[in-house]
Amino acid sequence: MNVHLSIDFDYFCYEDPAWDWGHQESPMFKTEIWAARYSTSHFDLTEEVTINKADFPPKFLPKLLQEKGLQFGKECIFTIADSHRLAKTALTPKADALLSFDAHIDYYPIQEYGDCSNWMRSVEKQYKHITNIIPKWSEEKDYLHRPRQGKMFYWADLPQQEGEITRIFIAKSSAWTPPHMDRYFDELLVAFSEALPKSRSIEWHNDTANRWTPAMQKAAKDREQFLAKLSQMVK
């Protein structure tokens, strides 16, 4: 069976709906606004969003897929981008099945097909089977009350699979993933690069730069000073 694999990095990044991340994929939401969130949030973002809250470290995913019975095709095409909207062109031509890892099932009813929130509507007709893997941390949140297409599982509940993965698409989704998690995104890319056959091809859209810069780290450290000032203001 021919399988396409789609991975949104936000699957690994804990999020509370009350935080109201994202909104749109623009430079402000991908990078600039994170500095303000680090320095002015009423909680420590680096402590709330940690890899320990993910179902497993991202770098283990290639091995876990193989343990579930999936193999990587010799001519597998591996595409990396920031926006998930590019999935509509990366995940072609038709295949038997789509396996998607995502914190949000991108099947929202927006008129303009193929953006980051509804790309699945653009590709659904080319698959016989669609399987969505959602993070276990979403169980207690409002994520289950959302539009969906195909079957839905937590990773631990996913039954054994069969087939050959011929297309892989990984989206960083910077508007929904904090910069201090960027290194785990890099580890995910390295893990797949090492696991795939040498004959595979890689298509890299150069919009996934590491955002955990010294300036961003300083913004995170400035939070305590901000909270101290805020405390003085409300007294």
Side-chain angles (χ1 to χ4, degrees), residues 2 20 32 59 72 96 109 122 128 132 154 158 165 178 195:
N2 186 346
D20 200 24
E32 296 163 13
K59 63 182 180 181
F72 297 115
D96 297 304
S122 300
K128 298 176 183 177
N132 298 286
Y154 297 121
L158 182 70
I165 298 174

Side-chain angles (χ1 to χ4, degrees), residues 145-176:
H145 306 290
R146 56 192 164 184
R148 64 192 66 171
Q149 172 68 345
K151 297 180 179 179
M152 187 166 62
F153 294 94
Y154 297 121
W155 173 253
D157 300 327
L158 182 70
Q160 284 295 113
Q161 305 290 298
E162 62 177 28
E164 181 179 87
I165 298 174
T166 57
R167 296 285 189 280
I168 300 173
F169 179 79
I170 300 182
K172 187 175 184 179
S173 293
S174 292
W176 288 267

Side-chain angles (χ1 to χ4, degrees), residues 10 13-26 28-30 33-34 36-37 41-43 45 49 104 108 137 141-143 173-178:
D10 69 12
C13 299
Y14 174 83
E15 176 188 349
D16 189 316
W19 297 346
D20 200 24
W21 287 166
H23 297 287
Q24 60 180 303
E25 294 181 311
S26 66
M28 183 184 76
F29 284 106
K30 287 182 177 182
I33 202 170
W34 288 108
R37 288 170 174 165
S41 293
H42 66 280
F43 57 88
L45 188 55
V49 184
H104 323 86
Y108 290 85
W137 53 257
K141 305 300 177 184
D142 195 35
Y143 285 107
S173 293
S174 292
W176 288 267
T177 56

Side-chain angles (χ1 to χ4, degrees), residues 172-218:
K172 187 175 184 179
S173 293
S174 292
W176 288 267
T177 56
H180 70 273
M181 298 291 284
D182 280 6
R183 69 184 184 97
Y184 298 106
F185 177 79
D186 295 340
E187 289 180 1
L188 178 66
L189 302 187
V190 170
F192 271 102
S193 297
E194 293 178 345
L196 293 174
K198 297 300 181 184
S199 54
R200 86 287 185 264
S201 66
I202 297 180
E203 298 177 0
W204 187 299
H205 297 266
N206 191 26
D207 55 358
T208 59
N210 193 311
R211 301 162 297 155
W212 194 230
T213 60
M216 195 71 74
Q217 294 174 43
K218 181 179 183 300

Side-chain angles (χ1 to χ4, degrees), residues 31-232:
T31 303
E32 296 163 13
I33 202 170
W34 288 108
R37 288 170 174 165
Y38 281 118
S39 62
T40 64
S41 293
H42 66 280
F43 57 88
D44 189 332
L45 188 55
T46 61
E47 292 183 0
E48 284 294 319
V49 184
T50 70
I51 204 61
N52 293 332
K53 293 184 178 181
D55 293 341
F56 48 83
K59 63 182 180 181
F60 292 164
L61 183 53
K63 181 179 179 181
L64 291 172
L65 289 168
Q66 292 174 314
E67 290 176 353
K68 284 287 187 181
L70 295 167
Q71 303 300 320
F72 297 115
K74 291 182 179 180
E75 304 298 327
C76 184
I77 296 179
F78 180 27
T79 305
I80 307 156
D82 194 277
S83 176
H84 219 141
R85 64 182 175 79
L86 296 181
K88 67 176 183 177
T89 55
L91 299 177
T92 56
K94 293 183 178 180
D96 297 304
L98 171 66
L99 182 63
S100 174
F101 289 77
D102 204 328
H104 323 86
I105 297 179
D106 298 328
Y107 196 74
Y108 290 85
I110 300 176
Q111 292 182 354
E112 181 184 352
Y113 278 35
D115 72 10
C116 66
S117 69
N118 63 11
W119 63 268
M120 194 173 284
R121 288 181 177 270
S122 300
V123 303
E124 62 175 327
K125 292 183 179 179
Q126 68 188 46
Y127 301 109
K128 298 176 183 177
H129 309 284
I130 295 177
T131 302
N132 298 286
I133 311 299
I134 61 172
K136 186 66 175 176
W137 53 257
S138 69
E139 185 175 29
E140 298 178 357
K141 305 300 177 184
D142 195 35
Y143 285 107
L144 297 183
H145 306 290
R146 56 192 164 184
R148 64 192 66 171
Q149 172 68 345
K151 297 180 179 179
M152 187 166 62
F153 294 94
Y154 297 121
W155 173 253
D157 300 327
L158 182 70
Q160 284 295 113
Q161 305 290 298
E162 62 177 28
E164 181 179 87
I165 298 174
T166 57
R167 296 285 189 280
I168 300 173
F169 179 79
I170 300 182
K172 187 175 184 179
S173 293
S174 292
W176 288 267
T177 56
H180 70 273
M181 298 291 284
D182 280 6
R183 69 184 184 97
Y184 298 106
F185 177 79
D186 295 340
E187 289 180 1
L188 178 66
L189 302 187
V190 170
F192 271 102
S193 297
E194 293 178 345
L196 293 174
K198 297 300 181 184
S199 54
R200 86 287 185 264
S201 66
I202 297 180
E203 298 177 0
W204 187 299
H205 297 266
N206 191 26
D207 55 358
T208 59
N210 193 311
R211 301 162 297 155
W212 194 230
T213 60
M216 195 71 74
Q217 294 174 43
K218 181 179 183 300
K221 292 179 180 179
D222 286 347
R223 174 178 169 273
E224 290 187 7
Q225 183 177 358
F226 168 80
L227 291 179
K229 291 181 179 179
L230 186 62
S231 177
Q232 293 296 321

